Amino acid sequence: MSDSSPGASASPRAALPMPDLRDSFPGPFTVSPHADAVERHTGEWLDTHPLVGSPGARKALCNITSRGIARTLPTADIDSLFLCADLFLWLTAFDDAYGETAGADDLPGLVRRNAEFIVLLAGHHDERSAGEESVFGAALRDLLVRFEERATPTQYLRITAHLRDNLFGILWEAHHLHAPDRVTLREYRAMRPHTVFVRTVMAAAEVALGYELTARQRSSTAVRELESAVADLAGWINDLASYAKEATREGPDPLSLPTVLMRQYGCDIEGAFRRAARMCEEEAVVLRGRIIALTAGSVGELAHHARAMEGIAASYVWHVEHSRYAT
């Protein structure tokens, strides 16, 4: 099953220059036949774990999460799709509720909320805390139990490590949100994959698709460049898609790639978008090249990983067209 979504460059909302990714990721992107079932499941999971209060926000979040995961993992079994959709829904819902502006206005509160999750990620999810467990804590406990049942010990450790990175990234972003001028381009590029959650999706994909790289394969130049290109592209195109909506908020410019580029190079917003679009296009070329090299005539673990990274990149290219990013 496939969709007919255009690349990120075709958005009718884009008044500023957007990257043209049609050569590297032309679409249509393959979609799991279970997409509708995944969307129904995410709604049912939120009935059990009410992470989102607004019916409209809940519907939009279930839609973009389920449809995105259906493109990320089009060949995965339905239970794996359910699990990965719930994971990404949890991360996004928590960031929406307690990260960004809410976190910036109450950093100590965000630290306290993160502390509950750190205890669970440290391996104590089978122990009930003496105090009252939050809704997000209960939902994370459910996710960790389900991942532990399916993952190898190494895969499970990688997922929990990336989730800790996500929590730190959300806190880092909230800390700098009201003063983005303190963030350098180098620092922003290093942190952005954690705040867009893409490396956590990579780790979950190995569990969902039933393969695992060796340590030697994971540390190879080919895999590191492949994963870095996916991580960069995911964060950068997300920044370009969300900039107009975030710029409508009161306060300083959004903490995003265009803002950092404007300060780094002394350009206006259009110039920053042109530079960022070129960065996306160049990274997409690198990514496509690595995918071709690793999948040419191969059916081994590296080929499986390259195809998984292709699905992740395609889902991020697709998702920036969603109404969630409309102004």
Side-chain angles (χ1 to χ4, degrees), residues 189-256:
R189 290 185 62 168
M191 290 300 300
R192 186 57 176 130
H194 304 311
T195 58
V196 81
F197 314 139
V198 61
R199 290 197 177 273
T200 307
V201 178
M202 293 180 192
E206 290 192 35
V207 178
L209 297 175
Y211 73 92
E212 186 172 8
L213 298 183
T214 66
R216 185 172 183 175
Q217 289 171 330
R218 198 176 304 283
S219 63
S220 68
T221 299
V223 169
R224 286 189 288 107
E225 288 185 354
L226 171 72
E227 293 183 349
S228 292
V230 174
D232 286 341
L233 185 62
W236 298 346
I237 60 175
N238 183 284
D239 280 353
L240 297 182
S242 62
Y243 186 89
K245 183 176 182 179
E246 292 180 353
T248 62
R249 302 171 183 168
E250 294 184 4
D253 291 333
L255 176 53
S256 68

Side-chain angles (χ1 to χ4, degrees), residues 42-305:
T42 54
E44 293 165 0
W45 194 68
L46 286 182
D47 288 338
T48 304
H49 304 285
L51 309 178
V52 184
S54 162
R58 170 180 161 142
K59 181 178 179 180
L61 185 55
C62 287
N63 182 265
I64 193 172
T65 300
S66 61
R67 303 295 158 172
I69 289 297
R71 289 162 175 81
T72 302
L73 305 166
T75 62
D77 64 82
I78 194 166
D79 288 335
S80 294
L81 291 167
F82 288 169
L83 179 56
C84 292
D86 293 345
L87 174 67
F88 203 69
L89 193 153
W90 185 91
L91 281 165
T92 308
F94 179 73
D95 191 31
D96 287 349
Y98 295 113
E100 301 180 347
T101 302
D105 292 340
D106 184 15
L107 281 173
L110 180 57
V111 170
R112 289 192 298 272
R113 293 182 182 96
N114 279 358
E116 177 188 5
F117 309 144
I118 293 298
V119 172
L120 297 175
L121 293 170
H124 303 291
H125 60 266
D126 57 342
E127 304 171 9
R128 296 287 174 176
S129 58
E132 183 179 352
E133 186 173 55
S134 73
V135 171
F136 279 92
L140 179 59
R141 184 190 300 276
D142 172 72
L143 290 169
L144 294 177
V145 169
R146 290 158 64 193
F147 267 109
E148 193 169 38
E149 290 173 349
R150 298 176 63 95
T152 69
T154 300
Q155 287 174 330
Y156 182 78
L157 288 174
R158 291 187 68 244
I159 288 173
T160 55
H162 284 304
L163 283 168
R164 282 189 289 270
D165 289 341
N166 296 148
L167 294 176
F168 175 70
I170 290 170
L171 181 62
W172 173 88
E173 186 175 50
H175 175 69
H176 289 292
L177 194 67
H178 291 326
D181 56 303
R182 297 181 299 196
V183 179
T184 66
L185 180 58
R186 182 181 182 185
E187 180 183 5
Y188 187 77
R189 290 185 62 168
M191 290 300 300
R192 186 57 176 130
H194 304 311
T195 58
V196 81
F197 314 139
V198 61
R199 290 197 177 273
T200 307
V201 178
M202 293 180 192
E206 290 192 35
V207 178
L209 297 175
Y211 73 92
E212 186 172 8
L213 298 183
T214 66
R216 185 172 183 175
Q217 289 171 330
R218 198 176 304 283
S219 63
S220 68
T221 299
V223 169
R224 286 189 288 107
E225 288 185 354
L226 171 72
E227 293 183 349
S228 292
V230 174
D232 286 341
L233 185 62
W236 298 346
I237 60 175
N238 183 284
D239 280 353
L240 297 182
S242 62
Y243 186 89
K245 183 176 182 179
E246 292 180 353
T248 62
R249 302 171 183 168
E250 294 184 4
D253 291 333
L255 176 53
S256 68
L257 182 62
T259 301
V260 179
L261 290 175
M262 280 192 289
R263 186 177 64 258
Q264 177 90 7
Y265 295 101
C267 56
D268 60 13
I269 186 60
E270 183 172 349
F273 260 71
R274 291 192 185 282
R275 187 179 290 270
R278 187 164 60 251
M279 290 169 61
C280 290
E281 291 161 0
E282 291 170 352
E283 205 72 337
V285 170
V286 172
L287 173 54
R288 177 53 62 188
R290 281 304 184 187
I291 291 170
I292 292 172
L294 289 172
T295 56
S298 175
V299 293
E301 301 300 286
L302 288 175
H304 288 317
H305 192 61

